[in-house]
Amino acid sequence: MNWKRPIFTAILAASIAAQALYAQIEKHPIPRIVHQDGRYALMVDDAPFLMLGAQSNNSSDWPSTLPKVWSAIEYLHANTLETPIYWEQFEPKPGQFDYSAVDNILGQARAHHVHLVLLWFGTWKNGSQHYMPEDMKRDPQRYSHVVDKNGELIDSPSPFAQASLDRDTRAFTGFMQHLRIADPDHTVLMVQVENETGTWGSQRDYSPEANKVFTSPVPQEVLKAMNKPASSGANWSEVFGTEAEVNFHAWAVARYVGRVAAAGKAVYPLPLYVNAALRDPFKGAPGTYESGGPTDNVIPIWKVEAPAIDVLAPDIYLLDTPSYTKVLDLYHRPDNPLFVPETAGTPHAARFLFTSIGLGAIGYSPFGLDYTRTNHPEMMTAKDPNAFLDPTAANYKLLGPMMRDIARLNFAGKLQAVAEIEGEPTQTLHFGAWDAVISYGTGRGGVAKGTPEPIGRALVAQLSADKFLVTGMDCRVDFRPAGPAKQPVEIGNGQIPSARVDDKWLHRQFLRVEEGVYENGSFRPQRILNGDQTDWGLTFTSEPQILEASVATY
Ligand code: DGJ
């Protein structure tokens, strides 16, 4: 027998397999978040990617319900589905992992050419421990709950429960390990660790163990993160006064989640995030919100205690304009990429996708957008079963085909996007020698009055000094030379936007306005707009429309 032959064949096979793996890695490098010049991008296949997502309802990630999810995702033109992995399903018996749900969702997502964000419903789900495996729920001594001020066990897991932390860490690591092997082409872009961590109904854990830590010195890294002087042994109450309980609970929860996340990341370094149930951004006093999660007041504690978490992400259900925009501002920080993993898909809220993109968001994902049920029954009529999807679908139909360009231009600092704000019928965006003036409620030629319920939105990117990519809905966009504007500032009634520059009036003229579509990621012009279609500026209705406009002065 020629013994060399099988060895040679084995070496050849191993080398072919290694080459195939290498080619796969080359083709689909692992998603990552990058940071440059104060801006963030989610890199997918090594280029900036804008996640236009939708989150399924909580109990939708089952073979029997997924058809009702995919049909909605298709209708929406979403490029990413956010959907849970349930700890109780994943670990049916202590230490035994069932990968079937992970494999099933991966296979289905691939077949639908849609990316995934998987939500690890582990120790915390909306502040409770409802997704813990059954054996853990049966043993509250070992997998202990938060104890409230009156000594009662409440419906929330204790961040001091070492046994729960050990189990969650093992299970989450098992899940990430499997994902690494089962998802070589990186269908999964990000993983959410836990869900809306923290506790409702108690500002912290008052168990004897927690009390002992509460009366011990605040760790130095927390003092530093919260801009407190380094102290020699002051305890939580002494350092933080009325904020002591919530800061302490945030520290304890962040430390726990940070350990789970770090263990998972060590086996598979995907971007990880934690979502926050918010406090009122203007008057969120302790006791009025879920304590412990990454609310805006404790972001520095979370950053220092859970460095394996890349993003602290707000679930935005506060839908009035001042609250919504304030929350976006609070989470858009030099040390935190902006990502909205849950929000409402109502007509009024849909425009905030543009505000988020304007702040450099890497993704956006309204909640509960599948046909199993709706959180907005008022938007669902027998006549129109898609009404609850339509506002998001309109956004994604418009932006989906151009999302790579949006993400690229945004990361390069060349793009601005805004949504209408009550009482502000015009907004001005500055682009070097040009201002883009956005007007709402103008009709074709009138002056801006604002729309009755604000729904307008606009996106402008500078392609070169005098050339812009422009899109939007329910608004008008025009360009004016930068400088003191001719009065009235509102452009309308055919008035040409002009500004006083170097002692003379400069007036805008359109050299060319092209309307087109995005095909395979590139703009393809279809016609030149002129006459009534440009004489009053560039008017956008609720129909998708994408333009490239070249401007000059005279
Ligand atoms: C926020 C949670 O994170 C979601 O899982 C879901 O429960 C929604 N709230 C409300 O339905």
Side-chain angles (χ1 to χ4, degrees):
M1 178 184 148
N2 181 355
W3 56 269
K4 284 188 186 152
R5 202 183 175 121
I7 294 179
F8 174 75
T9 314
I11 292 171
L12 187 68
S15 132
I16 291 170
Q19 274 173 30
L21 184 68
Y22 186 68
Q24 184 78 317
I25 293 167
E26 282 284 281
K27 200 162 142 227
H28 297 291
I30 188 166
R32 64 190 205 281
I33 293 175
V34 293
H35 186 206
Q36 194 184 298
D37 302 330
R39 290 181 291 274
Y40 285 93
L42 171 66
M43 304 295 279
V44 176
D45 294 335
D46 254 351
F49 181 92
L50 174 64
M51 228 192 265
L52 298 172
Q55 186 163 147
S56 71
N57 284 299
N58 289 163
S59 306
S60 294
D61 189 6
W62 292 96
S64 60
T65 32
L66 277 171
K68 290 186 170 179
V69 174
W70 292 118
S71 46
I73 292 294
E74 266 162 35
Y75 184 84
L76 288 165
H77 296 86
N79 61 32
T80 306
L81 166 67
E82 295 182 354
T83 197
I85 297 298
Y86 315 111
W87 190 6
E88 61 183 350
Q89 178 280 328
F90 185 77
E91 191 177 354
K93 296 223 173 86
Q96 275 182 26
F97 302 146
D98 174 352
Y99 304 113
S100 60
V102 180
D103 292 339
N104 183 52
I105 192 68
L106 281 175
Q108 295 204 16
R110 272 181 214 129
H112 286 87
H113 306 289
V114 166
H115 281 288
L116 290 172
V117 167
L118 294 179
L119 321 173
W120 174 248
F121 281 12
T123 299
W124 282 270
K125 163 68 175 83
N126 294 26
S128 299
Q129 68 275 49
H130 298 177
Y131 284 86
M132 277 186 182
E134 200 176 318
D135 72 283
M136 295 178 72
K137 287 186 189 162
R138 287 181 188 281
D139 193 353
Q141 292 297 334
R142 195 168 157 69
Y143 305 108
S144 51
H145 290 221
V146 160
V147 176
D148 74 6
K149 248 185 178 159
N150 307 318
E152 289 292 320
L153 292 188
I154 62 169
D155 185 19
S156 188
S158 169
F160 292 95
Q162 186 62 43
S164 308
L165 172 58
D166 292 343
R167 285 280 296 268
D168 196 342
T169 305
R170 263 199 303 276
F172 183 68
T173 308
F175 157 60
M176 292 295 283
Q177 220 150 19
H178 183 72
L179 208 52
R180 181 171 64 87
I181 294 157
D183 187 26
D185 47 4
H186 303 302
T187 298
V188 179
L189 303 181
M190 284 174 74
V191 168
Q192 178 187 295
V193 191
E194 317 292 342
N195 186 84
E196 293 198 346
T197 52
T199 300
W200 290 98
S202 183
Q203 287 182 39
R204 68 171 177 92
D205 188 357
Y206 292 84
S207 64
E209 189 196 347
N211 285 341
K212 198 166 151 218
V213 185
F214 185 70
T215 50
S216 305
V218 176
Q220 293 300 326
E221 79 272 8
V222 175
L223 294 173
K224 191 163 169 231
M226 296 298 272
N227 285 323
K228 297 283 181 192
S231 95
S232 49
N235 69 28
W236 289 82
S237 295
E238 287 159 351
V239 174
F240 293 114
T242 53
E243 300 283 324
E245 325 279 326
V246 292
N247 288 353
F248 174 73
H249 202 42
W251 168 77
V253 176
R255 227 166 44 122
Y256 183 121
V257 178
R259 287 178 186 177
V260 175
K265 200 162 206 162
V267 296
Y268 185 31
L270 267 190
L272 301 178
Y273 77 96
V274 171
N275 61 332
L278 302 177
R279 63 174 194 153
D280 184 311
F282 298 108
K283 47 183 191 323
T288 62
Y289 60 92
E290 184 183 359
S291 166
T295 46
D296 67 86
N297 49 325
V298 294
I299 288 176
I301 297 179
W302 268 84
K303 286 286 174 192
V304 76
E305 296 299 343
I309 299 288
D310 302 276
V311 188
L312 303 176
D315 291 350
I316 316 185
Y317 294 98
L318 296 159
L319 299 180
D320 64 285
T321 307
S323 301
Y324 207 109
T325 49
K326 180 74 184 169
V327 168
L328 291 177
D329 281 341
L330 288 167
Y331 284 83
H332 167 236
R333 301 163 45 110
D335 62 354
N336 193 55
L338 181 63
F339 171 46
V340 181
E342 288 186 38
T343 188
T346 57
H348 187 74
R351 74 195 204 281
F352 292 125
L353 166 62
F354 283 65
T355 322
S356 307
I357 292 173
L359 291 170
I362 59 169
Y364 190 87
S365 180
F367 177 82
L369 298 192
D370 66 45
Y371 292 110
T372 63
R373 56 162 288 178
T374 170
N375 274 15
H376 294 283
E378 77 285 359
M379 287 168 62
M380 191 101 157
T381 62
K383 262 215 274 164
D384 188 358
N386 294 320
F388 75 112
L389 301 176
D390 281 332
T392 306
N395 276 340
Y396 290 3
K397 222 171 143 183
L398 173 67
L399 302 184
M402 59 192 302
M403 74 82 182
R404 284 286 190 178
D405 264 8
I406 294 175
R408 178 180 58 79
L409 291 161
N410 218 358
F411 189 46
K414 297 193 168 150
L415 181 146
Q416 299 184 51
V418 284
E420 184 176 1
I421 294 174
E422 290 90 335
E424 283 184 38
T426 64
Q427 292 165 332
T428 305
L429 311 177
H430 305 291
F431 290 95
W434 289 99
D435 285 348
V437 182
I438 323 295
S439 321
Y440 303 103
T442 58
R444 189 176 66 170
V447 289
K449 291 189 223 56
T451 54
E453 214 200 327
I455 51 168
R457 56 203 91 164
L459 180 152
V460 182
Q462 191 162 29
L463 301 176
S464 59
D466 302 315
K467 188 172 180 190
F468 296 89
L469 172 68
V470 192
T471 190
M473 282 186 192
D474 302 295
C475 69
R476 185 175 62 204
V477 180
D478 209 334
F479 294 90
R480 188 176 57 209
K486 196 165 203 170
Q487 297 302 322
V489 175
E490 293 100 337
I491 300 155
N493 301 323
Q495 190 186 322
I496 297 295
S498 312
R500 193 86 186 149
V501 181
D502 295 336
D503 253 4
K504 57 178 192 282
W505 285 106
L506 283 186
H507 314 281
R508 178 278 289 149
Q509 62 175 327
F510 285 120
L511 294 179
R512 181 190 275 256
V513 177
E514 291 175 328
E515 182 189 68
V517 289
Y518 265 78
E519 274 175 3
N520 303 322
S522 305
F523 182 76
R524 184 169 66 76
Q526 287 183 317
R527 61 173 175 155
I528 294 177
L529 295 190
N530 209 332
D532 289 350
Q533 279 65 54
T534 59
D535 285 349
W536 289 271
L538 312 175
T539 307
F540 295 88
T541 65
S542 56
E543 287 301 310
Q545 191 181 32
I546 305 171
L547 307 177
E548 281 193 3
S550 298
V551 283
T553 54
Y554 61 91

